[in-house]
Structures are given as C-alpha cells and as structure tokens.
Amino acid sequence: MGDRSAARVVVLGAGFAGLRAVRRLARAGMRVLWVDGRNYHCFLPLLYQVATAGLEPQEIAYPARSILRRLPTAEFRLAHVVGGDPVGRTLLTAAGDRLAYDYLIVATGGAAEDFGIPGARDAAFRLYDLEDARLLRNHVLRTLEQAEALDDPAARAALLTFVIVGGGPTGVEMAGALAEFRRHVVPRDYRHFHPDALRIVLLEAGPELLPPFASRLRQRARRDLAERDVEVRTGAKVTRITEDRVELADGETIVTRTTIWAAGIRAAPVSTYLGLPTGRSGRIRVDPTLRVPGYPRVFAAGDVTLVDGAERLPQVAQVAIQQGEHAAENVLRILRGDPALPFAYRDKGSMATIGRSRAVAMIGRWQVAGHLAWLLWLVVHLVMLIGFRNRLVVLVNWAWSYLTYDFGLRAIVGAEPEPGHRIAPAPDAARQRAAGAAS
Ligand SMILES: Cc1cc2nc3c(=O)[nH]c(=O)nc-3n(C[C@H](O)[C@H](O)[C@H](O)COP(=O)(O)OP(=O)(O)OC[C@H]3O[C@@H](n4cnc5c(N)ncnc54)[C@H](O)[C@@H]3O)c2cc1C
C-alpha cells in the first residue's frame, strides 16, 4: 500500500485515455503530473474533417491547461518523452529532464503501421495529429490550384486522382468527405476542370470495407460510396507507393500525386523506449488489470495497450476512455489497500459516416443506416468533443455546411513542406540527443 497524499502519479499522454485517467485521479485529490508532447487534447475522430477543410484545427483541439483549471492537484508538463527507467521509476524527456513517479499510467496512443510496404511511411499522407491534417489539407488545396493552371490532360489527371489506402472507418470517412468536397466545392471554386475529372479511389486489401460492422452495413457503406462516385476496390493489395504512383499486387499502377495511408495502426514509437514489455505492433503488454507484468506501479491504457486475454479489443476511443478511467481507479484502489480489478469493456457501438446525411451505426443488436445514423453520429461526436466552445463552433460549422452546401475556410496556411515531409521525422534523433544530455 502507498501513501495516498504523497504519492505522485504521472500520466503520459493527453489523448482519450490520459484525459480520463487524469480527471479521475485529480477529482480524488491525487497529485498528478500530466505529460504530453503537445499542449492540447486532440479529438482524432474528426481529423479527416480538418484535412478536407470542413473544420479548423483549433475546433478539435482543447488546451490541457484549460482542462486542469478546476483540478488544483494536477499539473501539466509539455514534454516529449523519449525513454524511461521503470526500475528507478523515471521518464526521460527530449530536453534531458528526468520525471520521477510513484505510479505511472502510459497512454501514448498509436501511430501509422506501414506493414513494411515501401513508400507507405514517407510517400503517403497519414492522419494521426493536427499537423498531419494541416499538411494534407494544404497539399489537396495546392494540388487543385496546380490542376487549374495545367493544360496537359495526363498531368492534370494525376493531380486530380486521390487514392486512399485502407477501408476501415478512417478510410471510408475520408473518401466520403472528399466526395462531398468534389460535389459541392469543386463546381463553385474551380472553373478549368469538371468535378467528374476528380477521381477518388479507395483501396482495401481485405474482401470488405468496414470489417467490424455487420454485413448489411458494410454493403450499405459500399453502395453509398459508389453512389458518390468513389471507386471502391477490395482485395487490392498495395505493394509500393511513390510520390507519383501507387503499385498494386496485380500489376496495376495508379498514377496519383496524393496517397492517403489509413491502413493500419501500431503503438506510438515511445512504447519501445520505456523499458516495458511489448507485444504485437509495439503495444505494451498488460495483465487484465491493465498493470504491466513485473512493474506493479506501471499501468497502460488506450491504443498503446495489449491486454492479456483480450488482445482483440479494438483500438477506438471508447476502449481508451474506459481503460483510462479503469487504470486510474486501480491506482486509487491499490493506494487504499484494495486489490486491482480486471478491466471489462462495455461496447457502446460503432459508427462511420459517408458524407452528408449518410452513415452506418451498430449499437448492440441495433443496426441503422442513412439519415438517422448520420444524426446519431453528429450527436455522439458533439457530445464527445471537449469544451463547450468547441462544441458550439463545430455545431455552427456543421449547420452552416448543411444549409449552404459550403465547406469551411480553404486557406493554404503555412509554408510549402520540403520533399519527404508528408510524415513527422523519426523520433530516434530526439531520443539520442536526450540520452546524451542525461548521461
Ligand atoms: C484519423 C482517425 C480517426 C479515428 N476515428 C475514430 C472514430 O470515429 N471512432 C473511434 O472510436 N475511434 C476513432 N479513432 C481511434 C481513436 O481516436 C483512438 O482509439 C484514441 O484516440 C486512442 O486514445 P489514446 O488516449 O490511447 O491515444 P491518443 O488519443 O492517440 O493520445 C495519445 C497522446 O499521447 C501523446 N504522446 C505520444 N507519444 C508521446 C511522447 N513520446 N511524449 C509525450 N506525449 C506523447 C500524443 O501527443 C497524444 O496526445 C480514430 C483515430 C484516428 C487517427
């Protein structure tokens, strides 16, 4: 048993799991240090709307310090963690600082899994944080500007072809949003090419889209996409991506300047630097109580976690939310002298939207598609957003888009990226610098 008033819990990660853990602990009066490499909680499920100019970045981000205003026992530290010593109970930051803890909850989330496919890491866009969404949005808008100014049909066709790899919810939602953009924005903003010239291709290696959904909903999603002229190809295995093409296993090549990678998830890179046992896709292995075996004061929650006996749990927001709360609850139980309890997931359902007025949703045995599912999707996402102001602004934006068929501001903000900047740089350099500084 520990001393509850003196014990310090470090929560690493300000995503869904970290946020819930911090709130639970701080509301119980615990001393908490909340650490993240960015100073805000980001609502990842709406990133694709930022990437397609439906929402602005600040509308889906909420500052960590604002979240802590009414939680006086919790503090925030902006720091990129690059290592850890679970025996000495410290974390190492990129600045070379060591952060000590009595208990640690790791909630560092996921990153794109490239399955070793050449080019998937550096020639494709991906969507894991606001910077990814900003880069992709600028790229799409720049590409359309270039297409406006070109007369060469082949070069223009390459610019106007958008390939999305991965037929899970992110790929489907991205394809649906691009189709809306083509339908409602392109005819009004661009005069030198017809909207039909813009081609959207969704590639899925498996036999169906949206694998976790019921068969009826999977078919419905496919039909909705087809009606919006999205070319859906299942059984399409990508073998190579470059900045101007996607190659498939059957020998076909799709010439494109924009490939969006939405095909897989692995643990955020830091998971392998913390000195903790990892399993499939770099995820931290935990026992059913979410505790790391061999390290009784370390817990993990959310996308970064692989739970013994529940390895198939999906990497979605609800799992992260419930695990964040559960890990915090178990820390409190241990400090009270009670045993930690096993985690049990309560499935509240899944949903995916396919553009305006179309969505599929599965809640328990209830399966719903079309307008009703879309309304449900809107309500659930508004409720889950953090901050009243964000909810209000997003609601106004959505209502505006619905009534006017127009999207948000489509300004290209920020400098043009250097070649190879479709993804963030590898973390190794920062890690080596910090290790040098700390030794
Ligand atoms: C584009 C996209 C769309 C999605 N759509 C849906 C959806 O519709 N429905 C759904 O349920 N789920 C969806 N998900 C999945 C859902 O967002 C995740 O399951 C959820 O965010 C996981 O929460 P988490 O707390 O584990 O990690 P995250 O929310 O990813 O948070 C991890 C945090 O850790 C921080 N971090 C990572 N490494 C370090 C480090 N080294 N140092 C300091 N801080 C670090 C990050 O900055 C981040 O703030 C989507 C995910 C993506 C990417």
Side-chain angles (χ1 to χ4, degrees):
M1 194 193 342
D3 174 358
R4 185 169 174 174
S5 56
R8 174 158 103 152
V9 187
V10 170
V11 176
L12 175 57
F16 288 97
L19 169 63
R20 294 300 169 132
V22 166
R23 275 190 176 158
R24 179 69 192 95
L25 291 164
R27 283 177 182 160
M30 291 290 303
R31 248 175 7 116
V32 183
L33 181 66
W34 195 15
V35 184
D36 200 293
R38 49 195 191 202
N39 76 335
Y40 54 86
H41 166 81
C42 181
F43 191 81
L44 298 182
L46 290 177
L47 268 186
Y48 79 94
Q49 294 213 1
V50 175
T52 49
L55 293 173
E56 293 304 309
Q58 68 277 9
E59 290 160 14
I60 64 161
Y62 199 78
R65 289 185 185 280
S66 304
I67 293 169
L68 297 187
R69 267 185 200 160
R70 294 203 194 102
L71 299 169
T73 59
E75 281 186 59
F76 178 74
R77 173 77 71 94
L78 179 67
H80 193 75
V81 169
V82 292
D85 170 10
V87 177
R89 297 211 297 267
T90 57
L91 292 176
L92 174 65
T93 72
D97 297 328
R98 287 203 182 271
L99 307 176
Y101 58 84
D102 297 300
Y103 289 86
L104 171 67
I105 298 177
V106 182
T108 42
E113 169 69 272
D114 61 18
F115 305 111
I117 293 169
R121 245 195 77 74
D122 43 19
F125 290 88
R126 49 123 206 244
L127 270 184
Y128 262 93
D129 61 32
L130 282 179
E131 183 57 9
D132 295 338
R134 192 190 66 81
L135 281 178
L136 177 54
R137 170 163 91 175
N138 280 352
H139 171 84
V140 169
L141 295 171
R142 271 199 193 98
T143 301
L144 296 176
E145 291 298 333
Q146 287 164 11
E148 268 284 269
L150 267 183
D151 289 325
D152 173 5
R156 182 185 267 181
L159 286 167
L160 292 178
T161 299
F162 295 85
V163 178
I164 300 150
V165 186
T170 302
V172 165
E173 292 190 336
M174 188 71 209
L178 277 174
E180 292 295 327
F181 191 93
R182 171 178 59 192
R183 195 173 180 187
H184 300 301
V185 178
V186 169
R188 294 198 251 185
D189 281 15
Y190 302 94
R191 297 178 188 163
H192 291 112
F193 59 86
H194 192 273
D196 291 349
L198 201 148
R199 190 176 164 213
I200 303 164
V201 186
L202 177 59
L203 302 175
E204 165 58 43
E208 300 213 57
L209 299 181
L210 297 177
F213 285 77
S215 163
R216 185 175 81 82
L217 297 180
R218 294 201 292 253
Q219 285 163 20
R220 174 65 186 258
R222 188 167 186 153
R223 204 177 74 214
D224 284 346
L225 285 169
E227 278 172 12
R228 281 167 158 67
D229 290 326
V230 174
E231 292 173 42
V232 177
R233 311 250 194 107
T234 45
K237 292 195 172 61
V238 171
T239 52
R240 184 185 184 82
I241 299 171
T242 67
E243 296 213 351
D244 57 13
R245 68 191 57 230
V246 174
E247 293 171 14
L248 301 179
D250 64 5
E252 185 184 349
T253 293
I254 303 173
V255 178
T256 174
R257 300 294 303 279
T258 311
T259 304
I260 302 163
W261 184 258
I265 172 170
R266 58 174 296 108
V270 69
S271 63
T272 51
Y273 303 143
L274 294 176
L276 300 170
T278 53
R280 178 163 50 88
S281 302
R283 290 158 75 186
I284 296 173
R285 297 204 74 97
V286 292
D287 68 20
T289 69
L290 306 182
R291 205 173 351 193
V292 179
Y295 301 99
R297 288 168 180 248
V298 181
F299 289 77
D303 280 1
V304 74
T305 306
L306 193 62
V307 185
D308 274 349
E311 287 83 357
R312 310 298 314 166
L313 272 180
Q315 285 161 293
V316 294
Q318 265 307 320
V319 173
I321 287 169
Q322 293 177 31
Q323 287 188 342
E325 277 173 8
H326 192 85
E329 195 58 51
N330 272 344
V331 170
L332 294 171
R333 286 182 66 83
I334 291 166
L335 288 168
R336 282 199 303 265
D338 294 332
L341 295 177
F343 173 72
Y345 177 51
R346 294 178 305 283
D347 187 354
K348 294 190 176 171
S350 321
M351 42 184 66
T353 173
I354 308 132
R356 186 188 176 88
S357 298
R358 309 264 174 113
V360 289
M362 220 168 60
I363 298 157
R365 289 186 181 175
W366 190 44
Q367 297 170 16
V368 55
H371 203 79
L372 179 60
W374 182 69
L375 286 175
L376 262 176
W377 181 93
L378 290 181
V379 172
V380 167
H381 283 73
L382 275 178
V383 169
M384 283 178 70
L385 263 176
I386 304 295
F388 177 73
R389 184 177 175 277
N390 280 6
R391 284 191 197 123
L392 189 68
V393 175
V394 168
L395 178 66
V396 169
N397 268 328
W398 283 347
W400 178 264
S401 304
Y402 189 77
L403 296 173
T404 64
Y405 291 86
D406 203 1
F407 274 45
L409 294 173
R410 294 177 292 282
I412 299 172
V413 180
E416 191 158 2
E418 299 293 319
H421 271 59
R422 291 180 172 192
I423 58 151
D428 297 311
R431 193 170 158 262
Q432 281 159 11
R433 268 200 312 276
S439 59

